[in-house]
Amino acid sequence: MKCLRRIVGKTKPDRVRNDRIREELHIKAVETTINERILSWYGHLLRMDENRKPHQYMEARAQGRRPTDRPRVTWEATVSRIAAERGKTVNQLQRMATDREQWRRWIRGDYPTL
């Protein structure tokens, strides 16, 4: 944000919100870009042949007991959270990922939710 503020010519004492600066420069938030990349990879894995290693790793389940600490957030749970934020379920994502163009448009937000 420091670089973006410098480009726009605003400083912290000007009290201009980060959202407004990104909006002015037409730059997405980092979280948005990360979520798009996660969904992009998820769609790629879903379309992948089942005998490929990345697809097998996605479906693999660890054996044994977990430690008693707080449960770790899994990649699968992250995908579910992003889908819920965008108004979809994981099952809807799995069906939608079969059409690559529709999937890309939905990830970028260029396409209305179906």
Side-chain angles (χ1 to χ4, degrees), residues 15-41:
R15 298 183 60 89
V16 178
R17 292 193 173 269
N18 294 342
D19 294 338
R20 298 222 187 262
I21 292 172
R22 280 195 301 268
E23 189 176 295
E24 187 175 330
L25 295 174
H26 305 290
I27 294 176
K28 295 178 186 176
V30 173
E31 299 91 345
T32 304
T33 304
I34 290 170
N35 290 345
E36 287 176 1
R37 299 269 175 102
I38 288 171
L39 289 174
S40 177
W41 178 246

Side-chain angles (χ1 to χ4, degrees), residues 47 57 75 79 94 106 113:
R47 289 186 300 274
Y57 293 144
W75 187 76
V79 171
Q94 291 171 352
W106 181 76
T113 55

Side-chain angles (χ1 to χ4, degrees), residues 11-113:
T11 60
K12 280 289 207 179
D14 293 335
R15 298 183 60 89
V16 178
R17 292 193 173 269
N18 294 342
D19 294 338
R20 298 222 187 262
I21 292 172
R22 280 195 301 268
E23 189 176 295
E24 187 175 330
L25 295 174
H26 305 290
I27 294 176
K28 295 178 186 176
V30 173
E31 299 91 345
T32 304
T33 304
I34 290 170
N35 290 345
E36 287 176 1
R37 299 269 175 102
I38 288 171
L39 289 174
S40 177
W41 178 246
Y42 184 66
H44 183 65
L45 285 174
L46 290 175
R47 289 186 300 274
M48 194 175 283
D49 190 22
E50 291 182 6
N51 61 0
R52 302 239 347 246
K53 290 294 180 190
H55 188 88
Q56 291 173 355
Y57 293 144
M58 179 182 72
E59 294 180 346
R61 299 291 171 254
Q63 299 296 317
R65 295 182 55 119
R66 296 189 82 142
T68 56
D69 297 343
R70 182 179 129 217
R72 293 184 181 164
V73 178
T74 63
W75 187 76
E76 207 168 44
T78 303
V79 171
S80 297
R81 179 189 51 81
I82 296 168
E85 288 172 0
R86 291 172 167 238
K88 298 283 184 194
T89 64
V90 174
N91 291 336
Q92 290 173 322
L93 292 184
Q94 291 171 352
R95 283 192 305 271
M96 196 172 24
T98 58
D99 182 5
R100 288 175 80 176
E101 287 305 315
Q102 178 188 3
W103 182 253
R104 286 179 184 161
R105 286 191 306 262
W106 181 76
I107 287 174
R108 293 186 196 125
D110 300 340
Y111 197 79
T113 55

